[in-house]
Amino acid sequence: MSAPAGSPHPAASARIPPKLGGAAASGAAAPAGPGPGPHQQNGPAQNQMQVPSEYGLPPQNYIVPSGHYSQGPGKMTSLPLDSQSGDYYSGLYTVPTQSVATPNTASQQPGAQQMYGRVPPAPRAVGSTPGSFQGASASASHLHTSASQPLSSFVNHYNSPPMYSASSSVASQGFPSTCAHYALSTVSNAAYPNISYPSLPAGDPYGQQMFTSQNAPTVRPIRDNSFSGQSTAVSHPSPLPPPPSQQYHQQQSLSGYSTFSWSAPGLPSTQDNLIRNHTSLATASNPTNTDSLSCSVMQNVQPPKSSPVVSTVVSGASTARMPPAANRPVEPVASVTQPSELLQQKGMQYGEYVNNQASFAPTPLSSTSDDEEEEEEDEEAGVDSSSTTSSASPMPNSYDALEGGSYPDVLSSSASSPAPDPAPGPAPAPAPAAPQPSKLPKPFGYGYPTLQPGYQNATAPLNSGGPPSSPVYSGFQQYAQYPGMNQLSSSLGGLSLQSSSQPESLRPVNLTQERNILPMTPVWAPVPNLNLDLKKLNCSPDSFRCTLTNIPQTQALLNKAKLPLGLLLHPFRDLTQLPVITSNTIVRCRSCRTYINPFVSFIDQRRWKCNLCYRVNDVPEEFMYNPLTRSYGEPHKRPEVQNSTVEFIASSDYMLRPPQPAVYLFVLDVSHNAVEAGYLTILCQALLENLDKLPGDSRTRIGFVTFDSTIHFYNLQEGLSQPQMLIVSDIDDVFLPTPDSLLVNLYESKELIKDLLNALPNMFTNTRETHSALGPALQAAFKLMSPTGGRVSVFQTQLPSLGAGLLQSREDPNQRSSTKVVHHLGPATDFYKKLALDCSGQQTAVDLFLLSSQYSDLASLACMSKYSAGCIYYYPSFHYTHNPSQAEKLQKDLKRYLTRKIGFEAVMRIRCTKGLSMHTFHGNFFVRSTDLLSLANINPDAGFAVQLSIEESLTDTSLVCFQTALLYTSSKGERRIRVHTLCLPVVSSLADVYAGVDVQAAICLLANMAVDRSISSSLSDARDALVNAVVDSLSAYGSTVSNLQHSGLIAPSSLKLFPLYVLALLKQKAFRTGTSTRLDDRVYAMCQIKCQPLVHLMKMIHPNLYRIDRLTDEGAIHVNDRVVPQPPLQKLSAEKLTREGIFYIWIGKSCDNNFIEDVLGYPDFASIPQKMTHLPELDTLSSERARSFITWLRDSRPLSPILHVVKDESPAKTEFFQHLIEDRTEAAFSYYEFLLHVQQQICK
Amino acid sequence: MAFTFAAFCYMLTLVLCASLIFFVIWHIIAFDELRTDFKNPIDQGNPARARERLKNIERICCLLRKVSVRVRGGRLLAQRSPTLVVPEYSIHGLFCLMFLCAAEWVTLGLNIPLLFYHLWRYFHRPADGSEVMYDAVSIMNADILNYCQKESWCKLAFYLLSFFYYLYSMVYTLVSF
């Protein structure tokens, strides 16, 4: 115990106990895997003890959360508390933190008494005081080692609740501001009676359906987080303004308040609650040594009769101990770093809320009147409806909704304030001190099986301390911060830097000495440093991101910074809420055709100034009327001007021919190889299931073409008794046998289609044809589609060997692991490119499903999708029985593919402020004009990247804007325009440029550029370019901005992940050398880099690693009534190995049997099969948690990942290890080596 | 006054240089046409317009290729006849050859850089062989378009200067003996 407690800072030691307790209590404890395994043994014998306790737990634990919920309203009744709690806070917490002194005050607090009053054994409350008192003092002296003394163990135990509250409320600053919000919200409600929007008639003159996207986050938090719900409930009454001056205060009040929330629900089932505290604590932890402690704790708690005492003590103790407990962890983090800044932020949040409220008012209603299509097509839409119910009235019974309304603010505010936390958490003052000594001596101590004890010590305080759970919270809050963000993609959420805190993102980080560079939370996009109004209006970073959130003023400055400048777009993302505007005139700038957006300025009532070209335009008469407020003369209140992401229903001006119907054509390979692989069954099954869900209206048409060495068409004309197969064997000059009956109306010929789909899998079972005439089949498909346009889905299982477009094998298997040149990354023939261009001209997109076991020259085949705006799916070694996991993946991908939204005949134009210009586009499309992309189809999983250059100096402007407008035909035959606008500040100093780097966006852009480079030049060139990107930017930073003469490798904190990500890129299949990589795999990885949106690409580049044997409910979010635990991120290093990769579950040899039994359903390690791809549905708590967590992870990606349960020793091990990018492989650097390499390069 | 082989070379190059200037001007016009597109979104949303525009780009690229260099059509589609039209690059290559034969070292020296540049361009074309540098799918990327445009302007300047230089040299060789 004392050994780890010997950590550098008291805070660290204070944090350890609870964590340990958690580890023990969670019991999953599985000391699996080489890394942490040894730590756990530190706790002597108590392991056995905890096991039973843990077993008893699950049912109880479950009760607790529900208890929370049900008690929600109950707590509202305690609203009268607010005055008390008000002075509770103010009274108590102005008292400086004397841990000994506080308990007394605490127990005397009216608030506290109130609490007790609600507990049956009320009198005990008094008795608790001494207990807690003692506890406080005891813990203060850190007598952890005395496990035998019940008292001290109590102490230790009680340590944890305060810990918990401290950490869980991490949003520490956020919560107080909650209170503030509340106070405010009522005020503003009163002030702006426009809340009465509900009365908005549906058929208002302009037929405008309006829902602001701001509403979206609102909803979720409530649903997601019972804890927050509670806490707000409690804090709601307190009119306490955020004490701006003392963050200290806030933490105290905060924790105090969270104590309430905990003890209140906990009292009825105190014991559980306590235990729960422990368990939940455990999650965050990276348990180091102190099992002993927690075990003793458990013992004490277990005896049922002690429970009442315990409970009271808990509350007493927690309040009492709060100051030390709460403050310590946070103190070093936030208050030390920049208190003043926090203040400032708080003030800002404050203001922000008011603003929000104003703009918010209309939302509730409008979101209920949600666009029907949106509602129906977005998976999440249903979710949101709850929030919209009665958010306008601040009645207790609707507090849910209310919170929903205010929550985003809480979140955003807390998001901004805790922002520093996650970063400093691992980094700041106390932390680095520890790792340094241990780390320096061993440069290559990263080898995974041997963990240096020094590291353990160092990491323990870092990972486990005050911040552990905090990031969890903040992560999810931030997720809520962004309007309209998809829940699923939120997994990326997490704010590592705040641009409002410039110093923070500029804080120099010595990379070589920073052991835990990866924050515990997902890395989140930096927020542009704009004023609050603009920040609030700005486009969600999910749809639109820029690599530099501070745009440099001149190209010279940009060159100096050596960073790529570009945009990453995800324009057709599934949005939960999107304002859809129908109006006769779409207001646009007359010279540059920019759509009116929130960042234009209104010169007066009648004129507005374009923010891109600065032309002054007239405001049309129609625009003067705001259908939302039903007021006249407020053009700046129109939804177009209030939302940076809007969708217009285009008038007939925007179409010269009627919008095309949804047309789907399936081109299927039925050669011997394909039949052997058996994909037809899966495809036909998926189609049969989803036939009704194919996006489209009554005009939807569908057709099938199959091919081997001949081409087979299917006549499905209505009225036929059965489908007719027409065979065309002249593949040199393909013609259509019956042009008009091959593509048939889905609804009129549904029976025939179903017949065909049922028959298709068995039609070719005995085929002996091994050739594949893909080229002619595609030509036929093109002919079939050219009158209408639409989507062609090509399923191919081998190298095309006949007719036009035939290919030869170009891969030399011996060169797979060559470190030298990789050839054949480009296409072998231009047939597919030309075909794609023809298709693109006819508004037809070709999607390629390549299911092959040998080389199929994806590099050439991919061209058919690349230039026709299609998408590419690749299933290596697909076989329906031999490779069931791939089969299942195909099944799930098909489901998504068939049912996702689709836009036809789309064009996307990107505009930017005068002075900037776009030059290179990345993605799947045809570039039709220098700023116009022609997209035959657009799907929600397509991402794009654009490189920018600065042509003219931007000195005369302080803001630049980017606007993408995507004009498409929806599957319902409507012409729509989706407009995203992003606004960014212009800066003139290099330091500001560095402060605003969005490292993830930069990496994604670099990856795109590297793909281009490796195709046009060579792979090694691309790799060098990637390394140079790091070297250049860091050396530029070192020589210009940072004045520190440091021996190490210094990076601004905004760039601290840059080397790690670049290393991850170098180890991607696309760019790696030296490791055996099949050419098709490599090319597929490149295709994915080019066309995936940022969120998914980042997961591919740098997967998330979680450990799931200790999942708890702490910080869990709720998705569709499921509790999804949010464990902290782990670094991708074998050192942290016991856990689960993105879709791997790693089972270490010494993995705890309980985990294996509870989650995997096998008695012990040996009996786990080699190929396990499912988690059994077991009725245990840990199983449930693990499953819900994994489902949640899966849901957040468009391609369903396969779950591999990887055993130590199993052959799949290498597959898993290749994702551990921080480790050294035989062919590539470890992270630390890479850093040294970079450092050398810089010094050169 | 003597009609030497050198004088003949200059006379021939003078004529061919005029044609090169014509080609380059044509290039410049073509790039300009590629660059300018109607800003009217209504028109751009129109699929018919899209088709037309795409065809236009392809046509221009095709012509550009024809004018500057043309290699065999798709390798695998052997039935397409290999073409031998290699206007710009081959004409310039011919210049160099003639000056080499005529031992006009100064003139040759002036042309060598451009010759090497042409060779470099020719061998660094996209990997799929048949299509050379003016590729319909990438030409519209602003950086490539800018590059091509700058290249054309530079070449125009070079050809114009060399035209007058050839004129001067021709007269000089004719008069000097």
Side-chain angles (χ1 to χ4, degrees):
Chain A
M1 187 82 288
S2 56
S7 51
H9 193 273
S13 59
R15 288 177 220 159
I16 291 170
K19 192 184 43 173
L20 299 171
S26 71
H39 309 196
Q40 302 223 324
Q41 263 65 24
N42 287 358
Q46 284 81 351
N47 275 339
Q48 304 99 323
M49 305 301 301
Q50 60 190 128
V51 173
S53 69
E54 196 254 347
Y55 267 70
L57 282 180
Q60 294 168 336
N61 274 355
Y62 258 97
I63 295 166
V64 178
S66 62
H68 282 271
Y69 269 128
S70 59
Q71 291 209 348
K75 235 170 288 160
M76 290 310 289
T77 57
S78 67
L79 281 182
L81 259 185
D82 55 13
S83 59
Q84 295 161 346
S85 62
D87 58 24
Y88 178 43
Y89 293 137
S90 53
L92 208 178
Y93 288 108
T94 43
V95 177
T97 39
Q98 293 299 328
S99 59
V100 184
T102 22
N104 295 329
T105 14
S107 60
Q108 288 160 10
Q109 278 303 317
Q113 280 175 3
Q114 234 277 0
M115 295 295 313
Y116 298 142
R118 297 173 59 203
V119 185
R124 308 241 176 172
V126 186
S128 73
T129 323
S132 64
F133 201 54
Q134 270 188 339
S137 56
S139 65
S141 56
H142 296 297
L143 293 178
H144 301 310
T145 34
S146 57
S148 57
Q149 301 173 6
L151 233 186
S152 65
S153 64
F154 257 114
V155 169
N156 287 332
H157 177 196
Y158 297 139
N159 246 346
S160 52
M163 262 318 297
Y164 178 72
S165 57
S167 54
S168 64
S169 52
V170 178
S172 18
Q173 300 94 346
F175 274 109
S177 57
T178 316
C179 315
H181 283 295
Y182 263 86
L184 265 181
S185 72
T186 38
V187 169
S188 60
N189 282 351
Y192 299 92
N194 51 6
I195 292 183
S196 58
Y197 269 129
S199 62
L200 178 73
D204 57 323
Y206 293 97
Q208 220 165 42
Q209 294 171 315
M210 168 61 196
F211 18 105
T212 56
S213 47
Q214 279 151 332
N215 217 7
T218 341
V219 183
R220 220 157 278 129
I222 316 169
R223 317 173 51 267
D224 291 345
N225 183 339
S226 64
F227 184 63
S228 66
Q230 263 187 356
S231 48
T232 22
V234 173
S235 61
H236 173 261
S238 71
L240 175 82
S245 56
Q246 268 103 359
Q247 153 168 24
Y248 205 38
H249 267 198
Q250 289 178 351
Q251 260 127 32
Q252 290 170 350
S253 62
L254 211 212
S255 41
Y257 120 67
S258 56
T259 316
F260 276 126
S261 63
W262 264 114
S263 51
L267 288 177
S269 55
T270 350
Q271 199 180 346
D272 311 351
N273 200 3
L274 287 174
I275 292 161
R276 207 180 108 83
N277 281 350
H278 284 282
T279 40
S280 48
L281 268 175
T283 21
S285 66
N286 185 359
T288 5
N289 347 1
T290 32
D291 281 8
S292 60
L293 220 198
S294 56
C295 287
S296 60
V297 169
M298 294 309 290
Q299 290 161 9
N300 286 329
V301 179
Q302 281 306 316
K305 67 168 181 158
S306 71
S307 61
V309 180
V310 168
S311 70
T312 46
V313 175
V314 168
S315 54
S318 54
T319 41
R321 283 188 43 74
M322 197 139 301
N327 285 330
R328 290 230 188 107
V330 193
E331 212 170 20
V333 174
S335 59
V336 168
T337 44
Q338 329 98 351
S340 62
E341 197 152 292
L342 285 169
L343 296 187
Q344 187 194 6
Q345 283 176 1
K346 216 137 290 150
M348 289 176 349
Q349 292 146 16
Y350 207 55
E352 186 178 356
Y353 186 67
V354 180
N355 289 336
N356 258 353
Q357 192 61 18
S359 66
F360 239 35
T363 44
L365 168 179
S366 46
S367 62
T368 41
S369 71
D370 208 344
D371 174 14
E372 159 199 305
E373 184 185 334
E374 225 40 56
E375 189 80 65
E376 131 197 335
E377 289 182 8
D378 287 330
E379 306 154 6
E380 308 298 328
V383 160
D384 297 350
S385 56
S386 67
S387 75
T388 61
T389 46
S390 60
S391 55
S393 65
M395 300 306 292
N397 59 2
S398 69
Y399 82 95
D400 257 3
L402 248 187
E403 267 162 22
S406 72
Y407 206 74
D409 295 319
V410 176
L411 300 181
S412 59
S413 54
S414 60
S416 53
S417 44
D421 294 6
Q436 279 172 16
S438 59
K439 200 172 313 161
L440 283 177
K442 36 186 115 58
F444 298 117
Y446 278 48
Y448 79 85
T450 52
L451 234 197
Q452 316 293 342
Y455 275 136
Q456 297 169 12
N457 275 342
T459 46
L462 296 181
N463 283 354
S464 59
S469 57
S470 78
V472 174
Y473 265 74
S474 58
F476 118 59
Q477 288 157 351
Q478 286 142 10
Y479 133 168
Q481 172 186 13
Y482 284 96
M485 187 155 102
N486 198 326
Q487 223 167 12
L488 306 180
S489 57
S490 72
S491 59
L492 236 227
L495 188 52
S496 71
L497 345 139
Q498 262 291 318
S499 52
S500 61
S501 56
Q502 298 286 6
E504 173 46 38
S505 49
L506 269 182
R507 180 176 54 82
V509 176
N510 191 340
L511 292 173
T512 47
Q513 298 189 359
E514 189 94 15
R515 176 78 177 125
N516 291 284
I517 201 78
L518 200 66
M520 304 289 285
T521 48
V523 179
W524 191 243
V527 178
N529 187 18
L530 297 165
N531 74 39
L532 283 160
D533 285 342
L534 295 181
K535 203 183 273 184
K536 173 187 75 195
L537 291 171
N538 223 342
C539 192
S540 150
D542 272 355
S543 313
F544 212 150
R545 264 166 98 161
C546 183
T547 55
L548 302 178
T549 52
N550 294 328
I551 302 287
Q553 222 166 33
T554 59
Q555 182 72 33
L557 189 61
L558 176 62
N559 292 342
K560 245 189 256 169
K562 309 261 188 203
L563 290 164
L565 175 60
L567 301 172
L568 285 121
L569 308 168
H570 190 183
F572 203 56
R573 203 163 56 88
D574 285 323
L575 292 166
T576 44
Q577 300 222 331
L578 173 72
V580 176
I581 294 159
T582 316
S583 96
N584 294 332
T585 52
I586 296 174
V587 182
R588 308 178 62 174
C589 171
R590 287 182 53 176
S591 75
C592 65
R593 308 299 298 163
T594 300
Y595 295 82
I596 196 165
N597 59 66
F599 310 106
V600 301
S601 44
F602 283 92
I603 293 169
D604 54 39
Q605 286 274 314
R606 289 282 170 186
R607 288 179 304 160
W608 61 278
K609 190 174 170 192
C610 173
N611 53 338
L612 267 66
C613 65
Y614 308 116
R615 184 198 156 101
V616 176
N617 294 279
D618 291 338
V619 176
E621 188 60 29
E622 188 185 339
F623 201 73
M624 298 298 289
Y625 177 79
N626 185 352
L628 260 191
T629 57
R630 291 195 285 169
S631 55
Y632 187 82
E634 286 184 332
H636 55 280
K637 293 269 177 67
R638 291 267 301 197
E640 295 96 319
V641 188
Q642 290 292 336
N643 296 285
S644 59
T645 298
V646 291
E647 188 154 291
F648 297 95
I649 310 264
S651 57
S652 53
D653 299 348
Y654 286 79
M655 40 197 162
L656 290 189
R657 71 168 188 181
Q660 70 165 68
V663 181
Y664 306 106
L665 178 67
F666 293 86
V667 179
L668 313 173
D669 182 2
V670 292
S671 62
H672 177 74
N673 200 13
V675 173
E676 179 64 27
Y679 80 88
L680 275 176
T681 327
I682 295 171
L683 171 68
C684 292
Q685 197 55 42
L687 261 173
L688 278 173
E689 279 164 17
N690 296 304
L691 214 48
D692 297 326
K693 295 185 206 145
L694 282 178
D697 54 9
S698 59
R699 301 179 299 158
T700 308
R701 293 160 76 185
I702 192 167
F704 296 88
V705 172
T706 58
F707 65 95
D708 38 32
S709 62
T710 55
I711 301 170
H712 323 133
F713 297 90
Y714 296 87
N715 185 348
L716 299 166
Q717 192 64 299
E718 193 190 3
L720 289 175
S721 58
Q722 60 174 31
Q724 245 177 22
M725 178 159 136
L726 308 160
I727 300 179
V728 173
S729 55
D730 181 9
I731 55 171
D732 288 333
D733 184 18
V734 189
F735 61 93
L736 300 180
T738 55
D740 37 357
S741 56
L742 299 177
L743 278 175
V744 292
N745 188 296
L746 176 60
Y747 299 99
E748 288 165 6
S749 305
K750 190 171 260 175
E751 286 313 309
L752 280 177
I753 292 165
K754 283 184 175 167
D755 285 351
L756 177 64
L757 287 175
N758 284 320
L760 209 50
N762 302 318
M763 269 162 78
F764 300 94
T765 37
N766 296 317
T767 185
R768 304 219 166 257
E769 193 54 71
T770 53
H771 283 295
S772 152
L774 176 64
L778 284 173
Q779 286 171 333
F782 168 66
K783 283 189 182 160
L784 207 49
M785 297 296 280
S786 40
T788 49
R791 183 174 79 186
V792 178
S793 314
V794 178
F795 289 77
Q796 172 71 7
T797 59
Q798 56 174 319
L799 213 55
S801 55
L802 271 187
L806 75 138
L807 297 167
Q808 273 118 25
S809 177
R810 297 188 291 166
E811 187 188 31
D812 176 5
N814 300 326
Q815 296 292 310
R816 276 181 191 163
S817 59
S818 131
T819 50
K820 284 173 253 130
V821 198
V822 179
H823 296 288
H824 308 310
L825 292 172
T829 166
D830 62 338
F831 171 80
Y832 296 98
K833 183 167 77 185
K834 285 189 165 152
L835 186 100
L837 288 185
D838 289 342
C839 286
S840 175
Q842 303 295 342
Q843 305 297 340
T844 305
V846 185
D847 294 344
L848 172 66
F849 287 78
L850 185 61
L851 317 119
S852 78
S853 42
Q854 25 14 0
Y855 176 72
S856 318
D857 202 352
L858 185 60
S860 303
L861 293 181
C863 286
M864 71 171 107
S865 302
K866 239 182 226 171
Y867 303 115
S868 67
C871 45
I872 300 159
Y873 296 83
Y874 176 51
Y875 303 86
S877 59
F878 177 86
H879 194 281
Y880 73 118
T881 49
H882 299 168
N883 199 346
S885 57
Q886 285 281 18
E888 192 199 336
K889 179 169 157 63
L890 174 66
Q891 214 171 345
K892 293 201 167 137
D893 289 354
L894 275 175
K895 183 166 186 285
R896 161 84 180 157
Y897 173 76
L898 293 172
T899 55
R900 71 185 177 190
K901 269 179 86 159
I902 185 169
F904 297 100
E905 44 185 3
V907 288
M908 182 163 78
R909 166 151 280 163
I910 306 165
R911 298 180 173 86
C912 51
T913 299
K914 206 164 61 178
L916 290 169
S917 75
M918 284 154 294
H919 57 92
T920 307
F921 299 92
H922 303 276
N924 289 353
F925 46 71
F926 173 68
V927 196
R928 224 169 75 192
S929 157
T930 46
D931 58 348
L932 185 78
L933 306 180
S934 164
L935 305 158
N937 281 3
I938 177 82
N939 67 68
D941 302 327
F944 304 91
V946 192
Q947 283 171 252
L948 295 170
S949 59
I950 302 168
E951 295 208 320
E952 298 162 32
S953 161
L954 300 168
T955 35
D956 50 351
T957 173
S958 61
L959 295 175
V960 291
C961 292
F962 306 92
Q963 187 173 70
T964 45
L966 178 74
L967 171 62
Y968 67 98
T969 304
S970 78
S971 50
K972 301 267 184 284
E974 271 175 319
R975 209 73 175 128
R976 287 170 166 240
I977 309 165
R978 188 174 290 188
V979 179
H980 302 275
T981 315
L982 178 72
C983 178
L984 295 174
V986 175
V987 295
S988 55
S989 85
L990 203 51
D992 289 336
V993 175
Y994 279 111
V997 181
D998 182 343
V999 69
Q1000 290 192 319
I1003 279 294
C1004 291
L1005 188 65
L1006 276 178
N1008 276 303
M1009 292 159 69
V1011 170
D1012 274 3
R1013 178 70 74 89
S1014 48
I1015 291 173
S1016 69
S1017 175
S1018 74
L1019 193 66
S1020 52
D1021 250 24
R1023 287 173 58 88
D1024 290 347
L1026 283 176
V1027 177
N1028 287 340
V1030 180
V1031 172
D1032 289 349
S1033 57
L1034 292 188
S1035 64
Y1037 172 77
S1039 58
T1040 53
V1041 178
S1042 126
N1043 302 320
L1044 299 168
Q1045 287 307 316
H1046 230 285
S1047 57
L1049 187 59
I1050 305 295
S1053 129
S1054 57
L1055 271 179
K1056 67 178 180 177
L1057 294 174
F1058 198 40
L1060 177 63
Y1061 284 155
V1062 167
L1063 180 68
L1065 264 186
L1066 292 176
K1067 291 188 177 182
Q1068 280 300 297
K1069 275 187 181 157
F1071 301 115
R1072 71 186 181 191
T1073 55
T1075 316
S1076 176
T1077 311
R1078 298 186 334 148
L1079 191 52
D1080 276 351
D1081 286 346
R1082 192 186 290 277
V1083 172
Y1084 180 60
M1086 288 184 173
C1087 294
Q1088 284 202 302
I1089 288 176
K1090 288 284 261 187
C1091 66
Q1092 279 194 317
L1094 184 136
V1095 264
H1096 306 313
L1097 185 53
M1098 268 329 286
K1099 275 183 207 155
M1100 180 179 139
I1101 293 173
H1102 191 271
N1104 296 337
L1105 183 69
Y1106 305 96
R1107 76 174 298 160
I1108 55 163
D1109 54 349
R1110 294 165 195 202
L1111 291 180
T1112 65
D1113 281 343
E1114 185 200 1
I1117 60 170
H1118 294 249
V1119 182
N1120 298 338
D1121 302 328
R1122 275 199 332 256
V1123 180
V1124 179
Q1126 297 282 281
L1129 285 182
Q1130 308 277 357
K1131 338 197 284 177
L1132 285 170
S1133 164
E1135 179 196 330
K1136 304 282 180 191
L1137 199 65
T1138 0
R1139 352 239 148 127
E1140 187 246 11
I1142 249 319
F1143 41 83
Y1144 295 95
I1145 291 190
W1146 170 261
I1147 305 296
K1149 220 188 277 185
S1150 51
C1151 179
D1152 187 63
N1153 275 345
N1154 293 324
F1155 177 74
I1156 295 178
E1157 204 170 319
D1158 285 356
V1159 177
L1160 303 175
Y1162 290 94
D1164 55 25
F1165 179 73
S1167 60
I1168 301 176
Q1170 286 290 351
K1171 283 190 177 179
M1172 185 175 173
T1173 51
H1174 285 275
L1175 286 187
E1177 304 217 349
L1178 299 178
D1179 202 18
T1180 56
L1181 175 63
S1182 44
S1183 164
E1184 189 139 345
R1185 279 184 181 146
R1187 276 183 290 114
S1188 73
F1189 178 64
I1190 286 164
T1191 326
W1192 176 76
L1193 284 179
R1194 280 189 164 182
D1195 285 349
S1196 61
R1197 355 185 78 222
L1199 296 183
S1200 135
I1202 313 172
L1203 177 78
H1204 295 285
V1205 176
V1206 185
K1207 277 171 77 174
D1208 199 354
E1209 305 171 325
S1210 84
K1213 193 165 89 169
T1214 46
E1215 185 74 0
F1216 175 62
F1217 278 142
Q1218 78 185 14
H1219 290 285
L1220 299 174
I1221 53 113
E1222 291 199 24
D1223 292 337
R1224 180 182 191 167
T1225 64
E1226 66 269 31
F1229 286 142
S1230 74
Y1231 178 55
Y1232 192 75
E1233 287 170 307
F1234 181 68
L1235 286 181
L1236 290 183
H1237 175 72
V1238 170
Q1239 194 175 354
Q1240 266 175 5
Q1241 296 281 313
I1242 290 178
C1243 294
K1244 243 187 241 173
Chain B
M1 189 75 179
F3 188 76
T4 58
F5 178 65
F8 168 74
C9 282
Y10 280 120
M11 291 166 79
L12 188 62
T13 44
L14 208 56
V15 178
L16 288 178
C17 198
S19 68
L20 281 185
I21 291 172
F22 166 77
F23 283 148
V24 173
I25 291 177
W26 191 88
H27 266 159
I28 291 173
I29 295 171
F31 288 128
D32 203 52
E33 191 181 335
L34 280 180
R35 183 179 285 277
T36 48
D37 189 16
F38 294 102
K39 289 282 181 194
N40 184 354
I42 294 172
D43 207 21
Q44 270 162 1
N46 174 14
R49 161 90 184 110
R51 208 164 309 142
E52 182 190 309
R53 167 79 180 161
L54 197 143
K55 291 274 174 267
N56 205 14
I57 293 174
E58 279 195 300
R59 185 180 51 83
I60 294 174
C61 287
C62 187
L63 283 173
L64 281 171
R65 274 197 297 274
K66 268 187 194 151
V67 168
S68 46
V69 60
R70 178 82 182 257
V71 285
R72 289 191 304 126
R75 274 181 221 154
L76 294 161
L77 313 168
Q79 63 267 44
R80 204 182 289 173
S81 63
T83 45
L84 45 147
V85 195
V86 195
E88 187 189 332
Y89 289 11
S90 57
I91 289 176
H92 190 259
L94 181 69
F95 282 12
C96 296
L97 191 69
M98 286 196 306
F99 292 131
L100 184 70
C101 296
E104 291 289 328
W105 306 118
V106 180
T107 320
L108 182 64
L110 289 176
N111 276 296
I112 283 285
L114 185 61
L115 180 72
F116 278 116
Y117 175 73
H118 279 163
L119 288 176
W120 177 83
R121 274 231 64 186
Y122 183 83
F123 288 110
H124 278 78
R125 54 182 196 252
D128 57 341
S130 53
E131 305 304 338
V132 196
M133 48 277 328
Y134 304 109
D135 185 358
V137 296
S138 55
I139 188 82
M140 292 310 299
N141 272 337
D143 51 347
I144 296 180
L145 200 55
N146 284 338
Y147 178 83
C148 290
Q149 241 176 344
K150 264 180 213 149
E151 186 197 32
S152 304
W153 280 108
C154 292
K155 274 188 186 170
L156 179 63
F158 179 82
Y159 289 144
L160 273 177
L161 286 177
S162 55
F163 180 83
F164 290 109
Y165 174 76
Y166 297 149
L167 190 63
Y168 165 80
S169 301
M170 184 188 72
V171 173
Y172 184 80
T173 43
L174 285 176
V175 171
S176 61
F177 290 98

